[in-house]
Amino acid sequence: MNRQINAISGRLSLRPPQRESLEILDRIMESTGLVEQVRNQSASQKPVSPESLSHSLDIVTADYPKVTDFEREFPSLCFALATGVGKTRLMGAFISYLNLAHGLRNFFVLAPNLTIYNKLISDFTPNSPKYVFTGIAEFAVTPPIIVTGEDYESGKGVRDEWRLQPHLLHDPAYSSDVHINIFNISKINSEVRGGKSPRMKRLSEYIGDSYFNYLAQLPDLVLLMDESHRYRASAGVRAINELKPILGLELTATPLIETSKGAIPFKNVIYDYPLARALEDGYVKEPAVVTQKNFRPQEYSREELELIKLEDGIRLHESVKVELETYALQTGSRRVKPFMLIIARDTTHARHLLETIQSETFFEGRYTNKVIQVDSSTKGKKEDEMVERLLAVESLEEPTEIVIHVNMLKEGWDVTNLYTIVPLRAANAHVLIEQSIGRGLRLPYGRRTGVAAVDRLNIVAHDKFQEIVDEASRPDSVIKLT
């Protein structure tokens, strides 16, 4: 299948880590014979028996000894790629390969929350700025049918011919008819409030069954799990198994399960490309901690220290704006509007910060209409508006320059124009790095430019100076000091 790998890698401009992941999937598909299993069964049969599951694991482990357990009731493999390397683009490559090389037509993409869910819908929609299939000619002629948690009840995701004539699965006349289901995990969870089944599991007049059961009966359903570490300790685990996919492809930058006794690594990681390698290869920004020289945080109250960090963050942000504008003018590159991320302690603290920044006395009121608060206190229509602004924060026309969040943007929010982070929530250096800098590592031009200000992510952390020094001095540290 090297021809297909070469074609897809070239069309999608895959980076080496993405191509290596695709090559691994190709080897697994050939060695385990998953497609042959699909061809030799009817749609009503359970796709993966315990015997075949065990046999597939033995085959995979023989070539990849670190994979000791699929950790699901179906073959499931984790591709651990650092934030900023391109996990969503890799999803597009996986789907393209499985369809073009093996004729698989049904895919289920799972998101852990509303922000990621909306981002995925956008990225899988033709003509969107980050469309994952740009360059795939077959999908340009006949784009995949996208089914979401909002429109599946219309029946658009159902193929009646599969329920009646499963042999059409491999008829070339149907080879371009690809269905991609994109759902938030909350839509399929087995346990919901009030003891009722999720709507997706209830009888639908269009198909005489629930849409969930329809998907579970498909003979070639492939499940792609974004931020898969979020589906290891929740009711979603059972629902995922009930979908009965023939294959699971997991993507995450943190292949660990956090427990009270510490982190437990995944047992099904087949490819690992950590942040240290992404930094070394130049795929992400260089994180740098910014501090004031000879600063003594113990001499200030918490309120005074917060104001100092906010003001320093704003000055740094305004300096970056000038640097980015200058770079665009000098090189003829597209303009980039940077923004600043503030990490608050809780919703009350976030609201206080919002009021402070929007006041006329804070930098002469320059940011009154340029800041949004992102936390669980935002509901209903306001939540929809908040998500819409977040998804548009890269746009030059969108006014937001400051985002205040409370523990909601640790993952899955793909932006390239975050340049300054001001953490105001207590956290040790390691947690600060793992949960904060990942949001700002993506490069606006897809590569490093050689201009320090354009290639650097700034973290304002005056009160964590010694911890940061200690962390930065470690040989495997991903940050440096400025």
Side-chain angles (χ1 to χ4, degrees), residues 19 79 114:
R19 181 187 172 106
F79 295 81
L114 184 62

Side-chain angles (χ1 to χ4, degrees), residues 212-271:
F212 187 95
N213 285 343
Y214 165 75
L215 291 173
Q217 293 171 20
L218 292 173
D220 73 334
L221 187 67
V222 174
L223 178 62
L224 296 98
M225 291 164 269
D226 197 8
E227 306 295 351
S228 66
H229 58 280
R230 299 283 293 273
Y231 317 120
R232 296 287 179 130
S234 70
V237 173
R238 183 164 64 253
I240 288 171
N241 286 328
E242 290 173 351
L243 276 171
K244 304 176 185 176
I246 63 164
L247 176 66
L249 300 173
E250 307 183 24
L251 295 105
T252 180
T254 52
L256 302 166
I257 305 171
E258 295 292 345
T259 71
S260 58
K261 297 181 180 179
I264 301 174
F266 286 10
K267 298 177 182 178
N268 64 341
V269 176
I270 198 166
Y271 182 72

Side-chain angles (χ1 to χ4, degrees), residues 343-345 349 405 407 410 423-427 431 435-436 464:
I343 306 170
R345 294 189 300 273
H349 184 217
H405 90 95
N407 205 33
K410 292 188 295 183
L424 299 179
R425 176 169 58 86
V431 172
Q435 295 189 352
S436 302
K464 294 288 181 181

Side-chain angles (χ1 to χ4, degrees), residues 12 46 64 83 92 100 105 119 121 166 170 172 195 223 232 271 284 298 302 326 356 411 432 478 482:
L12 295 181
K46 184 175 181 179
Y64 303 93
T83 297
L100 299 177
R105 303 162 62 201
K119 174 193 72 81
I121 292 174
H170 302 288
L223 178 62
R232 296 287 179 130
Y271 182 72
V284 294
Q298 64 272 20
R302 186 171 70 176
T326 301
T356 298
E411 60 207 9
L432 173 67
V478 298
T482 63

Side-chain angles (χ1 to χ4, degrees), residues 430-441:
H430 180 74
V431 172
L432 173 67
I433 292 167
E434 291 296 324
Q435 295 189 352
S436 302
I437 68 172
R439 306 285 57 80
L441 290 175

Side-chain angles (χ1 to χ4, degrees), residues 177-198:
D177 189 11
V178 176
H179 282 193
I180 300 174
N181 296 270
I182 303 176
F183 280 79
N184 191 349
I185 185 64
S186 63
K187 293 284 187 180
I188 70 170
N189 272 347
S190 297
E191 298 173 5
V192 295
R193 291 180 180 177
K196 294 182 179 179
S197 296

